Amino acid sequence: MFRKFADLFFPVFLFLIIQLAVSFAASLFFVAAGGSGSTFFFESVEKEISLPATLISFLVIIVVQYFFRKKDGLRFQKDRLVWSVPKTAALVILTGFGAVGLNLLFAVLRLQEIFPSYSQMADLLLADQNPVLVVLTSVVFGPIAEELTYRGLLLRRAAAYMSFPAALFLSALVFAACHFNMVQLLYSFPLALLFGLLYRYSGSLLVSILAHVAANGMVFILSM
């Protein structure tokens, strides 16, 4: 039982540990360089290093998780795209519009007012940031790192131990919970289900990566 649990959740623990380690190392570096202990200083440090540290952690995660996914290739059948390119492109684009629609629904429901911690976090970390850095982090490398971890490793491993619907639900729930705030949990869970279905029925992780990129990219454009 423990072996199955460790096999399933090791990629997720590794994802979180890398993020924490990179963030901690970056914080130590900037705090040491700044030489100040004021609350204002620590807030400015958090704002300044958060996005670069996240980008670095995603790059590390991509390399590490790609290695483990290659090892998993000995256990599982290799990916093979079974959809045509037009069908794949259409569903990727539709996923992007679906993410936009979900954002608009959340705006109508005023979920960010009900759970203000998300807006406060976003304002602290993303306001006045370099848009190129935001795109690289949230639209390019973030989706690759997350899809490798939550679909390419967790979902595929879970499907070996349980039915695919159960594996899909579990992987989506873990993905959503690892965002650590209610707004993103409610937003990411249905999208994670969709990403998992795209991966399953297209036969290729690249499809879920592109769908994730499209979803984050179109939401980013909408927010500009």
Side-chain angles (χ1 to χ4, degrees), residues 53-190:
T54 301
L55 177 57
I56 293 170
S57 70
F58 282 150
L59 292 172
V60 175
I61 288 166
I62 289 169
V63 173
V64 172
Q65 303 290 47
Y66 179 78
F67 168 77
F68 283 105
R69 182 165 162 76
K70 290 287 285 185
K71 289 190 67 176
D72 273 11
L74 301 174
R75 302 165 52 188
F76 303 104
Q77 187 176 6
K78 289 185 178 180
D79 284 2
R80 184 174 67 86
L81 182 64
V82 297
W83 289 350
S84 66
V85 172
K87 179 178 180 179
T88 300
L91 288 172
V92 164
I93 293 170
L94 284 174
T95 301
F97 281 111
V100 170
L102 198 56
N103 268 268
L104 294 176
L105 175 62
F106 278 27
V108 171
L109 296 176
R110 299 188 175 183
L111 288 185
Q112 294 186 11
E113 295 179 14
I114 298 172
F115 304 104
S117 60
Y118 170 73
S119 296
Q120 293 167 1
M121 178 193 70
D123 289 342
L124 175 64
L125 300 181
L126 298 179
D128 302 320
Q129 292 282 8
N130 186 327
V132 174
L133 194 58
V134 174
V135 169
L136 288 175
T137 303
S138 63
V139 179
V140 180
F141 295 109
I144 297 174
E146 291 177 341
E147 290 307 306
L148 276 170
T149 301
Y150 294 97
R151 257 63 66 183
L153 289 167
L154 174 59
L155 175 57
R156 187 160 68 163
R157 291 183 179 190
Y161 295 121
M162 59 189 77
S163 68
F164 177 73
L168 178 65
F169 180 85
L170 174 67
S171 62
L173 184 62
V174 173
F175 174 71
C178 285
H179 285 79
F180 300 112
N181 69 77
M182 186 58 67
V183 172
Q184 284 188 297
L185 188 154
L186 295 172
Y187 172 77
S188 59
F189 179 74

Side-chain angles (χ1 to χ4, degrees), residues 2-78:
F2 175 78
R3 187 173 180 178
K4 289 182 180 180
F5 179 87
D7 184 52
L8 276 178
F9 292 104
F10 175 76
V12 178
F13 291 145
L14 192 59
F15 182 99
L16 298 175
I17 288 169
I18 291 172
Q19 283 197 316
L20 287 172
V22 171
S23 179
F24 182 70
S27 298
L28 285 180
F29 176 80
F30 277 93
V31 168
S36 170
S38 68
T39 301
F40 174 78
F41 173 76
F42 281 104
E43 288 179 354
S44 65
V45 164
E46 184 178 6
K47 181 177 178 62
E48 186 168 340
I49 71 169
S50 176
L51 216 53
T54 301
L55 177 57
I56 293 170
S57 70
F58 282 150
L59 292 172
V60 175
I61 288 166
I62 289 169
V63 173
V64 172
Q65 303 290 47
Y66 179 78
F67 168 77
F68 283 105
R69 182 165 162 76
K70 290 287 285 185
K71 289 190 67 176
D72 273 11
L74 301 174
R75 302 165 52 188
F76 303 104
Q77 187 176 6
K78 289 185 178 180

